[in-house]
Amino acid sequence: MTSHRLPGRGRVDHGRPVRFSFDGRSYTGLAGDTLASALLANGIHLMGRSFKYHRPRGVVSAGSDEPNALVGTHRGPGRFEPNTRATVQELRDGLEATSQNRWPSLSFDLGAVNDRLGRLFSAGFYYKTFMWPRAFWDRVYEPIIRRAAGLGVSPSEPDADRYAARFAHTDVLVVGAGPAGLAAALAAGRSGASVMLVDETSEPGGSLLSEPGIVIDGKPAWDWLSATLAELARLPNVTVMPRTTAIGYYHQNLLGLCQRLTDHLSAVPPGAPRERLWRVRAGQVVLAQGALEKPLVFDGNDRPGVMLAGAAQTYLHRYGVKVGDRPAIVTAHDSAWHAAFDLAEAGAKPVAIVDIRSVVDAALTTRARALGIEALLAHSATGTKGRLRVTSLRVAPIRDGRPGTARTIACDAVLICGGWTPSLHLFSHTRGSLAWDETLQAFLPGAKSEAVHIAGAGRGLWGIAAALTDGAAAGARAARDAGGMAAPQAHTVAADRTGTGVTCKELPTDRNPATAKAFIDYQNDVTAKDIRLAVREGMRSIEHVKRYTTNGMATDQGKMSNINGLMIAADALAKPPPQVGLTTFRPPYTPTSFGTFAGYHQGETFEVTRKTPIDPWAEANGAVFEPVALWRRARYFPKAGEDMHAAVARECRTTRASLGIFDASTLGKIEVVGPDAVTFMERMYTNPWAKLGVGRCRYGLLLGEDGFIRDDGVIGRLAPDRFHVTTTTGGAARVLNMMEDYLQTEWPELKVWLTSTTEQWATVALNGPNARRLLEPLVEGLDLSDAAFPHMSVAECSVAGFPARLFRVSFTGELGFEVNVPARHGRALWDLLWEAGQQYGICAYGTETMHVLRAEKGYIIVGQDTDGTLTPDDAGLSWAIGKAKPDFVGKRSLARPDMVAKGRKQLVGLLTEDPKAVLQEGAQIVADPDQPKPMTMLGHVTSSYWSEALGRSIAMAVIVDGRDRDGETLHVPMPDRTLRARIVRSTVFYDPDGSRLSA
């Protein structure tokens, strides 16, 4: 036990010592400590170095707004994290922490020479230097800058931790478990509404943890807190989540939460995730995030031992740590006086309370005299001394805004308070407006864009009583707005300490402003004179000032610096603060690990692998698989001794000669339903749909607004108001999103509903001359004859006893059917068809055979034979455009001059002079292989295969003015040789009259 740890005080467990190390030295803390509180208990204030000047820095705050005490933490291979806030990291047995941004050691850092050269590194110096000589950039400037850039050491090993993710819906989400948040959760929870209460700290309570002397409803604050948490725990509709930070607030009340699960544990259970990302959709949100204490800006306000008065109060009451024996207090707000009183009652001897104000509540000065604390009103702090920890404070009286004769006060800590500013980060994420309150000299929430309620100090209400009352009202209001019945409960508070204060720019000083280092942004070493320099050099927008000085760009995202920077910029511009404005707050609220965002997407689960119901059969039968979008698809089914070429050739022969079976379940499927379904289809697709009869299908072509091909597929009309739309395997989500976008933003008047049904249906394709013979005995209620059920027909029927949607379509050029059954029946249907097809020598084929068969027929694959720059005419699909249609997506772009000009690339066929030579897909095509490099490329090969049916190779390519080059021979440079290939205008290589579709 050290003299800084107060026996029996705080909420730490004095009976459970915890061993940890900092920079290789071992220390002891207590269970319940943070790393920062444990270091302070051991008398250590020096915890880091600043980024630019490498100045010694100590802890400033006690929460997530900490800018200085950033450390690296390590708990084994692959578990190193830089820039961990010592104020947030909970102590655990064996914790290894190292300081950052110093060499060779924290106490002796050679980088501190930058502090001596500070005048060379003024704001924006990087915009003015490194410009000459130009040759120095690559060899001198850039290497130096890259070595200096960044804070901390990047992990060098793969992350060994696991991360998780969850989705949740709740009636009311309360962010912040201080007095206002607890009262809101209690009011909403008692109404029966589902409630989630989240707080970034390890223990709910907020300011109550630092105010044990408050009495609520006749109970000491901590007793009331325990009773409230116990009641919330008993309510089955309430979930309390500590160690959970609301990192972002998005559209339609979607909030992102980062829940820390195991960083506080000494031993992590096997397989336990480190963090979990929650995506929570809330009916109503209550923001009870409280307020952030502001530092005061004066020369030397950054030395170790200079910290926020509220932080010192937290370390005292929550952790039982006395941050100094002889602290000095510098303040512009009443709250710091109470911190001084609490420290004095705990045994410290505050040497002075220095208040910038000339008048304060008489009760404060009376209490200070009773405790033997000197009160210096109308005084300013003008400097500090101490190399690795503050040893003295220089103060001066202020008369008519000017400092008088200064005096030096010996001290071992300086506690500062520049007042409080509401925490508005999450509210600002919603693009809600902010309103300047002249009385409070603070921005408050204004017009709201989401279903959100702000409670307590977050909207400028100071004191526990006001926070409880406002929180209860907000919670009840949120519950009612979510559809419940709720009434706010009343709370009585005794010994409340509200207080008032003033907002300052930098404090008056008797020092030379050109040499004074009065810091605003501690981490980035931004001073008051940097802000004023930015204004002098023409920066008028606060966003420009931010980027010129880097103020607010540190890892705390301006929580501690933004308001002070604004006040100084406003003074320099001679404008009121609201006219200067605030910078934009962006997610995440606090730094969040990449692992949290990645979640399950790592290792074998880096990307989702989707499998069809028939996939197990393919695996059991030796399929070789390939990824197609997110799907795992069977590429081919080799028999013993077969390579891919032999297997594909066999599959092609069998399918064309008799019967092939193919798993087409991955095709995207979208149900378009509603009275205006036809109108919607007419507007989305190039083809006409109004006259398509029920039970008939049509090839559908989808363009973007730019007129280029986006997707295609066969579309069947099942009823006057219902279409079964198929898309490419990889295009399903994209097409659905595009449809929803148009439906919701361009045509909201249409009564249409869109539903993704890709996973609802398992699809089995049967192709070949014997397809009808296999299927006919299994179909009930439908005549499959060519006359009754011709090509491009669709019907709902029963196949093998399963309810089905049966399509008469073909992607091979053979007689073909696609049987869609509910996914749960897909495997059973496949097994039955496979067994019944043995009499015809049925052959299972994969995607490679499918590609060959469709290429022989000239059927394109969007994304392979198109590249995002092909129009329907370029692809030979002009016939798919409804000439009489007044409009469809992309129609106007098709009429642009450059879309019909000569010189566009067009899809054509290619036949190599050597019929056995198969071109490489993607190979470039030139007119003259001997021309100088770089050669003029005429196009490239899009599809290329060996055709077993034709006994030769075939290919498709996009070539400049390809159709006008029919019969021309071009050259295709390959890695080992250059091949000659002849252009054929038609891409249909096999059965050009289509007679086999009705075989």
Side-chain angles (χ1 to χ4, degrees):
M1 189 72 66
T2 71
S3 62
H4 304 284
R5 179 77 75 180
L6 301 175
R9 295 191 70 117
R11 300 177 69 84
V12 292
D13 188 343
H14 290 263
R16 289 178 56 199
V18 177
R19 300 287 296 176
F20 71 101
S21 68
F22 179 63
D23 279 347
R25 291 190 59 183
S26 295
Y27 299 93
T28 300
L30 297 177
D33 264 327
T34 62
L35 177 59
S37 67
L39 288 172
L40 290 172
N42 282 275
I44 297 173
H45 280 258
L46 177 63
M47 299 185 193
R49 292 276 178 165
S50 65
F51 176 61
K52 185 164 68 172
Y53 297 136
H54 286 247
R55 286 172 66 92
R57 290 287 166 79
V59 68
V60 177
S61 77
S64 63
D65 52 345
E66 174 58 36
N68 286 344
L70 306 183
V71 300
T73 56
H74 189 272
R75 68 182 309 166
R79 290 185 168 90
F80 171 77
E81 181 182 77
N83 296 321
T84 301
R85 282 165 168 71
T87 52
V88 173
Q89 175 62 57
E90 297 173 61
L91 206 62
R92 61 172 186 259
D93 267 319
L95 174 66
E96 298 176 24
T98 54
S99 57
Q100 302 183 154
N101 207 43
R102 83 291 186 275
W103 187 86
S105 69
L106 182 59
S107 59
F108 180 72
D109 178 18
L110 289 178
V113 68
N114 288 3
D115 194 27
R116 300 286 185 180
L117 304 174
R119 299 189 71 172
L120 299 178
F121 301 134
S122 60
F125 77 94
Y126 31 80
Y127 295 122
K128 308 168 192 175
T129 54
F130 311 126
M131 306 293 288
W132 181 91
R134 292 180 63 89
F136 273 39
W137 175 255
D138 290 333
R139 297 183 179 180
V140 180
Y141 299 146
E142 185 178 17
I144 292 174
I145 292 170
R146 287 192 179 278
R147 281 196 296 269
L151 193 62
V153 178
S154 177
S156 59
E157 300 172 313
D159 191 343
D161 283 308
R162 297 180 66 247
Y163 299 85
R166 288 190 66 178
F167 292 83
H169 288 78
T170 188
D171 294 329
V172 180
L173 173 63
V174 182
V175 180
L182 289 168
L186 205 56
R190 287 172 174 171
S191 75
S194 60
V195 178
M196 292 179 69
L197 172 63
V198 303
D199 193 274
E200 65 179 351
T201 64
S202 61
E203 184 178 13
S207 60
L208 295 179
L209 302 177
S210 305
E211 296 275 7
I214 301 291
V215 177
I216 305 172
D217 298 338
K219 302 175 183 176
W222 289 0
D223 291 346
W224 181 88
L225 174 60
S226 297
T228 299
L229 292 175
E231 180 177 352
L232 291 173
R234 289 193 299 269
L235 292 172
N237 52 310
V238 176
T239 302
V240 179
M241 298 171 61
R243 302 185 181 93
T244 303
T245 304
I247 57 175
Y249 194 158
Y250 305 95
H251 187 48
Q252 294 182 334
N253 268 22
L254 177 68
L255 282 87
L257 312 177
C258 174
Q259 183 182 24
R260 302 184 304 279
L261 300 171
T262 59
D263 277 357
H264 62 290
L265 300 178
S266 299
V268 178
R274 180 187 175 211
E275 294 173 335
R276 176 180 288 123
L277 178 66
W278 289 79
R279 296 173 178 88
V280 179
R281 185 79 68 180
Q284 300 288 317
V285 173
V286 177
L287 295 180
Q289 295 179 273
L292 300 169
E293 192 172 13
K294 297 178 294 185
L296 289 169
V297 182
F298 58 91
D299 185 34
N301 66 336
D302 68 320
R303 297 187 192 279
V306 179
M307 70 174 64
L308 296 172
Q313 196 172 15
T314 297
Y315 288 119
L316 173 67
H317 291 301
R318 185 171 178 184
Y319 303 106
V321 174
K322 184 174 54 174
V323 298
D325 293 317
R326 294 179 56 79
I329 292 86
V330 184
T331 185
H333 195 276
D334 294 348
S335 61
W337 289 71
H338 298 298
F341 301 158
D342 289 353
L343 282 165
E345 291 172 346
K349 298 185 181 299
V351 293
I353 299 176
V354 181
D355 201 313
I356 192 68
R357 299 170 293 173
S358 58
V359 178
V360 299
D361 189 336
L364 297 176
T365 55
T366 299
R367 179 70 173 150
R369 281 195 299 272
L371 292 171
I373 306 172
E374 182 181 11
L376 300 175
L377 303 185
H379 276 64
S380 173
T382 64
T384 62
K385 284 188 177 179
R387 190 174 77 88
L388 300 182
R389 181 172 174 181
V390 66
T391 57
S392 66
L393 173 71
R394 192 168 181 271
V395 301
I398 304 300
R399 299 290 183 269
D400 299 324
R402 293 178 177 276
T405 303
R407 59 179 277 206
T408 297
I409 301 173
C411 60
D412 60 359
V414 176
L415 313 183
I416 57 178
C417 177
W420 301 79
T421 183
S423 180
L424 301 171
H425 292 67
L426 285 182
F427 178 77
S428 297
H429 292 176
T430 69
R431 307 302 296 169
S433 65
L434 302 179
W436 177 257
D437 187 290
E438 192 63 33
T439 302
L440 294 175
Q441 289 284 287
F443 282 102
L444 299 180
K448 298 183 290 187
S449 61
E450 298 288 341
V452 59
H453 312 264
I454 301 90
R459 67 186 195 95
L461 300 177
W462 311 130
I464 303 299
L468 288 169
T469 300
D470 197 48
R477 192 164 55 249
R480 289 195 299 270
D481 291 348
M485 300 289 292
Q489 68 275 22
H491 297 283
T492 61
V493 178
D496 201 357
R497 306 195 289 196
T498 53
T500 60
V502 296
T503 297
C504 310
K505 51 184 190 298
E506 68 267 57
L507 298 185
T509 182
D510 56 355
R511 297 292 179 89
N512 180 359
T515 59
K517 289 185 177 178
F519 288 92
I520 299 172
D521 189 314
Y522 290 98
Q523 194 176 113
N524 282 347
D525 283 330
V526 180
T527 62
K529 65 184 178 185
D530 290 331
I531 301 291
R532 294 187 180 278
L533 174 63
V535 172
R536 287 198 306 272
E537 298 203 351
M539 306 299 146
R540 295 295 180 263
S541 163
I542 195 65
E543 293 284 2
H544 291 161
V545 171
K546 170 183 176 179
R547 283 154 181 79
Y548 192 79
T549 64
T550 71
N551 185 56
M553 295 174 66
T555 57
D556 72 334
Q557 285 286 293
K559 293 179 181 67
M560 199 167 286
S561 61
N562 270 3
I563 292 297
N564 283 336
L566 166 64
M567 300 304 293
I568 294 170
D571 181 69
L573 289 165
K575 290 182 178 181
Q579 290 186 20
V580 179
L582 269 179
T583 57
T584 302
F585 297 121
R586 296 182 176 89
Y589 175 69
T590 54
T592 306
S593 69
F594 287 120
T596 296
F597 292 113
Y600 294 111
H601 297 279
Q602 58 176 318
E604 293 182 355
T605 57
F606 176 76
E607 189 57 275
V608 174
T609 300
R610 302 170 73 182
K611 300 178 182 179
T612 73
I614 302 162
D615 181 89
W617 185 95
E619 184 171 11
N621 283 269
V624 174
F625 293 95
E626 68 170 340
V628 180
L630 296 180
W631 292 95
R632 182 174 89 152
R633 302 194 71 181
R635 189 177 185 188
Y636 60 97
F637 293 85
K639 291 187 176 181
E642 286 184 336
D643 59 9
M644 185 178 78
H645 178 78
V648 171
R650 173 181 49 78
E651 292 171 9
C652 289
R653 285 194 306 270
T654 304
T655 301
R656 292 237 183 262
S658 180
L659 181 61
I661 185 169
F662 177 70
D663 181 6
S665 303
T666 64
L667 282 177
K669 307 170 194 72
I670 301 170
E671 201 89 349
V672 179
V673 182
D676 296 320
V678 174
T679 302
F680 178 77
M681 294 295 294
E682 288 277 354
R683 294 179 183 180
M684 286 299 304
Y685 282 84
T686 64
N687 321 63
W689 301 96
K691 295 182 180 180
L692 182 69
V694 173
R696 296 295 294 162
C697 302
R698 180 163 291 161
Y699 172 80
L701 190 62
L702 184 68
L703 309 182
E705 284 284 8
D706 52 14
F708 297 133
I709 296 172
R710 288 290 184 272
D711 204 84
D712 69 347
V714 173
I715 299 169
R717 191 170 190 177
L718 300 173
D721 61 350
R722 183 181 297 269
F723 290 86
H724 179 117
V725 176
T726 65
T727 72
T728 56
T729 290
R734 181 177 65 249
V735 172
L736 181 62
N737 288 341
M738 181 178 174
M739 287 181 169
E740 283 285 6
D741 183 41
Y742 277 95
L743 185 59
Q744 294 182 32
T745 63
E746 302 295 329
W747 312 315
E749 75 282 359
L750 295 184
K751 296 180 180 178
V752 177
W753 293 268
L754 307 174
T755 306
S756 172
T757 57
T758 301
E759 288 83 5
Q760 178 181 340
W761 299 103
T763 305
V764 179
L766 294 169
N767 286 275
N770 287 315
R772 183 185 289 114
R773 294 186 183 92
L774 171 65
L775 201 56
E776 264 182 331
L778 305 174
V779 175
E780 298 177 13
L782 182 65
D783 181 357
L784 294 189
S785 67
D786 199 50
F789 198 63
H791 184 59
M792 299 299 277
S793 296
V794 61
E796 293 184 298
C797 60
S798 175
V799 178
F802 303 124
R805 287 180 180 176
L806 182 60
F807 286 76
R808 168 85 187 275
V809 294
S810 173
F811 199 47
T812 64
E814 300 295 330
L815 172 65
F817 297 88
E818 289 184 2
V819 187
N820 292 264
V821 297
R824 64 185 181 276
H825 302 311
R827 174 64 186 274
L829 175 67
W830 179 279
D831 289 342
L832 195 150
L833 292 173
W834 178 255
E835 184 64 30
Q838 294 305 311
Q839 59 183 312
Y840 304 110
I842 192 170
C843 168
Y845 65 90
T847 55
E848 192 66 23
T849 293
M850 178 268 291
H851 282 296
V852 175
L853 299 178
R854 65 90 194 171
E856 290 173 342
K857 290 294 298 178
Y859 299 150
I860 71 165
I861 291 183
V862 172
Q864 178 170 334
D865 298 305
T866 67
D867 61 0
T869 66
L870 261 61
T871 67
D873 182 69
D874 297 336
L877 298 174
S878 296
W879 55 267
I881 298 176
K883 304 299 187 292
K885 292 180 65 171
D887 199 11
F888 54 79
V889 174
K891 178 179 174 64
R892 281 167 287 182
S893 294
L894 294 178
R896 287 168 35 203
D898 58 317
M899 301 289 260
V900 296
K902 295 284 289 181
R904 292 194 58 81
K905 291 182 179 179
Q906 297 169 336
L907 188 68
V908 293
L910 277 183
L911 294 175
T912 55
E913 282 190 354
D914 178 0
K916 297 187 181 302
V918 180
L919 298 172
Q920 284 189 1
E921 293 179 345
Q924 297 295 312
I925 301 170
V926 299
D928 178 8
D930 298 322
Q931 64 183 288
K933 298 178 181 178
M935 297 182 181
T936 299
M937 306 298 178
L938 299 179
H940 69 278
V941 178
T942 63
S943 295
S944 179
Y945 308 98
W946 171 262
S947 170
E948 187 71 10
L950 299 172
R952 62 158 301 127
S953 65
I954 59 172
M956 290 192 282
V958 287
I959 298 175
V960 173
D961 292 326
R963 290 195 291 269
D964 292 339
R965 296 174 180 267
D966 188 23
E968 185 177 335
T969 297
L970 297 177
H971 300 81
V972 185
M974 302 281 281
D976 57 343
R977 54 180 170 157
T978 296
L979 296 175
R980 292 165 55 88
R982 176 172 54 87
I983 295 176
V984 289
R985 181 184 179 93
S986 173
T987 57
V988 181
F989 299 100
Y990 180 76
D991 187 29
D993 60 359
S995 60
R996 296 184 66 86
L997 288 171
S998 302

